[in-house]
Amino acid sequence: YGPVSPETIGYWPGAVEIGYYYDLEQARELMGAAGYERNVDGWFVDDDGTPLSFKLLLPTMDETLRFQVLADLLVDAYEEMGVQIEVLRVTDERELIALLVVEDAYHIALFGITWPEATFLLTYSFYSSGGLNASQISDDELDNLLVSSKIAVDLEDAQNLLNEAQRRIIEQAYLVPLYTPEEIYAISSDINGVLWTNASDLMWL
């Protein structure tokens, strides 16, 4: 329900209370409140009567195909609401990361990131000059919270700052969390001293 999973150090439990839940009718009401009307075919339209269509950036390097499954679900959900989706498939990781910071290259992007601690994860993904700022945001208040959390010497102060950062990300709707994946690894009891050192988890899986 927020930008950080419950297993991550620095997670804010309050995300469950203010995060987003699926509500089709409320989504339609919000579209109407924003000034959009639906045509006879059920599509929301812009001022000239053209059905709304969003570009969805879909990474296809994932061997588990979980992004493809999510894309299919999102396309169905948006179309049920009354908005058309154009899927833009990207097969190259470098091209994908380059597109993420290009204005107007897309409207929606599917991505995931894992990291054991929230400060780096949030800074990398939501700081104005963050390396994976897919939301393309520039938010001085959020930047200040993230910088302050990085330099805080008291753990409780740092957690409070991270809580406020997560609250702002949710309230400003910089992303919509979909799910927290679980990855299970089987390791023989004959193997000792296993360490998780796969830094590539930071990127696309």
Side-chain angles (χ1 to χ4, degrees):
Y1 301 101
V4 177
S5 71
E7 292 76 18
T8 304
I9 298 170
Y11 166 74
W12 176 50
V16 176
E17 302 297 327
I18 69 168
Y20 311 116
Y21 292 77
Y22 180 76
D23 189 328
L24 178 60
E25 291 307 314
Q26 185 181 19
R28 289 173 175 164
E29 291 174 7
L30 290 170
M31 291 292 290
Y36 294 101
E37 297 182 356
R38 299 173 74 186
N39 63 16
V40 294
D41 296 320
W43 299 112
F44 283 101
V45 296
D46 58 22
D47 292 338
D48 64 4
T50 303
L52 288 179
S53 178
F54 295 157
K55 299 176 183 177
L56 169 63
L57 196 60
L58 170 63
T60 57
M61 301 83 75
D62 179 16
E63 294 180 357
T64 68
L65 299 179
R66 59 184 168 190
F67 282 164
Q68 180 62 65
V69 172
L70 287 174
D72 292 341
L73 292 171
L74 287 175
V75 168
D76 289 345
Y78 271 100
E79 290 187 348
E80 187 177 9
M81 182 182 68
V83 174
Q84 298 177 0
I85 295 293
E86 176 188 0
V87 178
L88 306 177
R89 289 176 170 79
V90 183
T91 59
D92 180 81
E93 184 174 298
R94 291 182 181 180
E95 179 187 2
L96 176 64
I97 294 174
L99 284 173
L100 285 173
V101 295
V102 175
E103 187 175 357
D104 298 328
Y106 63 94
H107 301 106
I108 309 166
L110 276 173
F111 76 97
I113 181 172
T114 60
W115 197 257
E117 193 276 327
T119 305
F120 177 85
L121 186 153
L122 294 175
T123 302
Y124 194 60
S125 302
F126 298 99
Y127 190 73
S128 297
S129 57
L132 196 60
N133 182 4
S135 299
Q136 299 182 8
I137 59 174
S138 180
D139 183 334
D140 290 341
E141 181 176 337
L142 180 57
D143 286 351
N144 289 334
L145 288 169
L146 293 174
V147 170
S148 298
S149 72
K150 290 177 68 175
I151 62 177
V153 295
D154 181 84
L155 288 178
E156 184 176 351
D157 290 344
Q159 182 63 63
N160 289 334
L161 290 162
L162 288 174
N163 293 349
E164 288 305 309
Q166 291 169 73
R167 176 190 292 277
R168 181 156 184 82
I169 289 167
I170 295 170
E171 291 178 343
Q172 297 300 311
Y174 289 142
L175 89 164
V176 177
L178 296 176
Y179 80 113
T180 299
E182 291 185 358
E183 297 183 356
I184 300 173
Y185 298 86
I187 301 173
S188 170
S189 59
D190 295 331
I191 300 176
N192 299 314
V194 176
L195 297 176
W196 182 252
T197 58
N198 188 358
S200 65
D201 253 10
L202 181 62
M203 307 311 293
W204 308 92
L205 298 176

